[in-house]
Amino acid sequence: MLEKLLTGPKTYYVWLLFLLCVIAGCGLVYWQQLQTGLTITGMNRDVSWGLYISQFTYFVGVAASAVMLVLPAYFHHYKKFKRIIIFGEFMAVAAVVICALFIVVDLGQPQRMLNVMLYPTPNSVMFYDMIVLIGYLCLNIVIGWVTLEAELRDVEPPKWVKPLVYLSILWAFSIHTVTAFLYAGVPGRHYWLTAIMAARFLSSAFCSGPAILLLLMLLLRRLTGFEPGKEAIRTLATIIVYAMCVNVFFYLLELFTAFYSQIPGHMEPMLFLFAGHGGHLAWVSYWMWAAVIMAFASLALLIPPQWRTGPLMPVALIMLVAATWIDKGLGLLIGGFTPNMFEAITPYMPTLKEIVVALGVYAVGALVLSLLWKIALAVKKESGHFGD
């Protein structure tokens, strides 16, 4: 099926060339980081995780969200998702690639990641995070490729694939649970020290990931004419709105626990995120309030069934993705590191070079996704599953 990458309209090759140019340009900045170290970033002694790790956290959730298609299709035999399930699995592959690259750029020197394999430490959560991410990547590659090949030949997938599918469902929950444990298990970081961190991560993943997939499917329909199916779109939008309601509810639980208990350590990070410190409003406060506004605005547009699949749906989905990206990204990292264990404030803001390196990682993920989806679209067209 790899030969299908060699055929396509001129816009397809222009898009690939654009991504390669972005990767090359951002790669030059990353080369500078390799030469001079992480001093080109805004990170410091007190804020040792920044933009890179925040994006790693977010895209682990995007990868895990493929289960929202796989679970209904295989457990509940919801056939409407069969047409688009391959796109969710391939998006998971691209998301895990992005996660891995963000870890690489955050390490400073890439060879350091060999320490996890050469000197394994089973008592470290990071060790298990590496295992579940690599395992999830392999599962989605094998399942996606084998089922797509079966569709091309117009036969049923081999029986040995189904146990892997069921395993991938459990594995999807594990990758984000283990990532949440990376945060919740760190003592002295009150913003992360919560028993529902894994639940918050999963609820955020199950609304933001499908929202990104749905936006991309709508774009794909406009650009190529591929029809994901109206019923599939409606069902996926319903899953998104329920997951977002749970996500907002969980965050409100955190606010109640912090402020009703009046425990200073739990209140101060939230006060810093939304109101600044010492009379000075931090830049992240504007982002957090924007996230709040967009979160409730997206729910206002998605909860009414008549609006959920209307012309405003893409706007609502974009606001939802932006809100979860802020809350689960830099909001989560800055809230955890500020104030520090000594109640001191060390401000953090990503530098331009840090942002450029992150854009390069995004471009690699977009390239992987574009190539995989190109194969899937070609197979769909050849097998007659392209239109209605």
Side-chain angles (χ1 to χ4, degrees), residues 32 72 99 112 154 169 182 205 207-208 258-259 265 300 309 332 343 363 377:
Q32 183 182 354
C99 293
R112 290 174 180 165
D154 198 22
I169 294 173
L182 280 173
C207 63
S208 59
F259 289 98
T309 54
L332 180 74
E343 307 301 327
L377 283 172

Side-chain angles (χ1 to χ4, degrees), residues 100-167:
L101 290 177
F102 271 119
I103 291 295
V104 170
V105 298
D106 184 73
L107 287 174
Q109 295 296 325
Q111 66 271 22
R112 290 174 180 165
M113 62 184 173
L114 294 175
N115 290 330
V116 181
M117 293 172 278
L118 295 177
Y119 308 103
T121 51
N123 61 329
S124 169
V125 180
M126 184 66 74
F127 173 74
Y128 294 102
D129 203 35
M130 179 200 70
I131 291 176
V132 294
L133 283 174
I134 293 176
Y136 192 66
L137 176 64
C138 295
L139 281 172
N140 278 279
I141 291 175
V142 171
I143 294 169
W145 196 263
V146 171
T147 53
L148 193 63
E149 198 170 46
E151 184 175 342
L152 178 63
R153 297 177 180 178
D154 198 22
V155 296
E156 289 293 321
K159 292 183 179 180
W160 58 264
V161 171
K162 187 163 285 188
L164 293 182
V165 172
Y166 294 145
L167 180 62

Side-chain angles (χ1 to χ4, degrees), residues 150-387:
E151 184 175 342
L152 178 63
R153 297 177 180 178
D154 198 22
V155 296
E156 289 293 321
K159 292 183 179 180
W160 58 264
V161 171
K162 187 163 285 188
L164 293 182
V165 172
Y166 294 145
L167 180 62
S168 73
I169 294 173
L170 298 175
W171 215 288
F173 285 90
S174 74
I175 63 170
H176 221 19
T177 300
V178 174
T179 305
F181 287 168
L182 280 173
Y183 290 91
V186 179
R189 304 294 181 183
H190 301 290
Y191 192 63
W192 303 339
L193 198 61
T194 168
I196 64 167
M197 181 62 78
R200 281 186 57 199
F201 272 25
L202 289 170
S203 63
S204 174
F206 294 158
C207 63
S208 59
I212 293 173
L213 177 63
L214 189 50
L215 283 170
L216 292 175
M217 296 306 301
L218 294 175
L219 179 63
L220 199 66
R221 182 170 66 179
R222 178 176 290 272
L223 294 177
T224 68
F226 172 76
E227 180 54 57
K230 293 181 180 179
E231 189 63 33
I233 291 175
R234 187 178 296 109
T235 304
L236 196 57
T238 304
I239 291 173
I240 291 167
V241 70
Y242 278 117
M244 186 59 176
C245 288
V246 174
N247 184 41
V248 171
F249 174 66
F250 282 163
Y251 197 82
L252 292 176
L253 292 180
E254 298 280 25
L255 289 175
F256 171 82
T257 303
F259 289 98
Y260 192 80
S261 66
Q262 289 292 297
I263 299 175
H266 290 280
M267 290 191 299
E268 287 175 2
M270 293 183 180
L271 288 172
F272 177 80
L273 286 176
F274 288 98
H277 179 76
H280 300 284
L281 196 63
W283 66 271
V284 73
S285 300
Y286 298 104
W287 282 60
M288 293 300 294
W289 280 112
V292 170
I293 293 170
M294 288 188 290
F296 283 101
S298 65
L299 286 177
L301 293 175
L302 290 173
I303 288 176
Q306 64 272 22
W307 293 358
R308 192 174 300 158
T309 54
L312 291 177
M313 181 179 67
V315 177
L317 293 176
I318 290 172
M319 289 193 295
L320 186 150
V321 171
T324 54
W325 182 80
I326 293 171
D327 167 48
K328 195 176 176 183
L330 286 174
L332 180 74
L333 268 294
I334 293 175
F337 283 108
T338 314
N340 64 17
M341 285 83 74
F342 303 103
E343 307 301 327
I345 302 293
T346 303
Y348 165 78
M349 178 181 288
T351 63
L352 178 60
K353 292 179 180 179
E354 196 174 357
I355 294 171
V356 170
V357 173
L359 289 176
V361 175
Y362 276 128
V364 173
L367 180 64
V368 172
L369 184 67
S370 300
L371 295 175
L372 291 175
W373 277 24
K374 174 63 174 63
I375 296 173
L377 283 172
V379 170
K380 294 285 184 184
K381 184 172 290 188
E382 190 171 327
S383 61
H385 299 147
F386 196 82

